[in-house]
Amino acid sequence: MGKRQLLRLAACLIGAASLLLQSCAEAEKADPAKLCGSWTSVEGKPDVLIYREGETFKVTVFARSGKTRRLKPQTFLLVEENGNLFINTGYRIDVAYNEATDVLTFSPNGDYVRKEERP
């Protein structure tokens, strides 16, 4: 085996070991309470409101529809699965939150910023 092949093998083994360690680590539990509030899209998508109702969290999307562009809110349940948050609108939309920048990301709808400051 040549030196180049040994380096490739070592890189592959290190990569495999790091993947194995990551898969063994416990998933960090998502905290939907940090998401509560009104959010507005940075890309012009509909506004959303996240709120707690009993033990569950819900996401209301304020979309406009039809020729009259009438406001038609739709509410979905915010689901946590293996530390990941998502809503099911007929297809899965993943929800990620960056606490450091206070930015909420809906995949594939883009980034949202909080409308008002948290208390």
Side-chain angles (χ1 to χ4, degrees), residues 70-88:
R70 194 167 156 205
L71 192 63
K72 185 179 177 185
Q74 293 182 311
T75 302
F76 306 98
L77 186 65
L78 185 62
V79 180
E80 187 268 329
E81 179 180 86
N82 299 326
N84 298 314
L85 295 171
F86 69 93
I87 58 174
N88 187 356

Side-chain angles (χ1 to χ4, degrees), residues 8-89:
R8 283 187 183 171
L9 179 61
C12 289
L13 289 174
I14 290 171
S18 68
L19 287 175
L20 182 63
L21 287 173
Q22 286 178 357
S23 67
C24 291
E26 262 187 60
E28 186 177 316
K29 193 124 167 112
D31 184 11
K34 294 178 182 177
L35 308 181
C36 290
S38 296
W39 298 84
T40 187
S41 172
V42 297
E43 300 169 5
K45 303 283 185 179
D47 290 349
V48 297
L49 171 68
I50 300 177
Y51 59 97
R52 182 181 204 138
E53 188 173 274
E55 292 298 312
T56 62
F57 290 87
K58 295 189 176 181
V59 177
T60 299
V61 180
F62 297 97
R64 297 195 180 270
S65 65
K67 291 181 182 179
T68 61
R69 304 297 296 154
R70 194 167 156 205
L71 192 63
K72 185 179 177 185
Q74 293 182 311
T75 302
F76 306 98
L77 186 65
L78 185 62
V79 180
E80 187 268 329
E81 179 180 86
N82 299 326
N84 298 314
L85 295 171
F86 69 93
I87 58 174
N88 187 356
T89 64

